[in-house]
Amino acid sequence: MKILYNNETDSIYVKFSTDAIVESEEVKKDVIVDYNDKDEIVSVEVLNVKTNQHEIEIPTVLKSA
């Protein structure tokens, strides 16, 4: 797992796998989940980290996928 913060876009990117992303879905405002061809989660991106307060339970996001 790799966690990256991008200061320019004010986003956090959590990468679980190196699989190719074939689909993305905004599961909650400013929370985007990326999927591979087997419908497994590849990564989760959280936007507007500094400007908006987010309460994200990663297990819940992963379970909803």
Side-chain angles (χ1 to χ4, degrees):
M1 178 172 41
K2 184 181 270 191
I3 300 173
L4 305 166
Y5 175 73
N6 185 320
N7 195 41
E8 288 182 25
T9 61
D10 188 29
S11 62
I12 290 178
Y13 188 72
V14 182
K15 189 171 184 176
F16 300 104
S17 124
T18 57
D19 292 350
I21 296 168
V22 297
E23 186 177 352
S24 299
E25 175 184 17
E26 187 170 17
V27 296
K28 183 176 179 177
K29 183 177 177 352
D30 293 336
V31 179
I32 301 164
V33 178
D34 299 319
Y35 302 94
N36 65 13
D37 60 350
K38 298 175 191 160
D39 209 29
E40 300 167 330
I41 295 176
V42 174
S43 59
V44 175
E45 184 174 20
V46 181
L47 308 173
N48 303 312
V49 175
K50 290 182 182 176
T51 55
N52 293 329
Q53 182 178 0
H54 296 284
E55 289 186 24
I56 299 164
E57 297 179 21
I58 293 295
T60 302
V61 169
L62 296 179
K63 197 179 288 185
S64 69

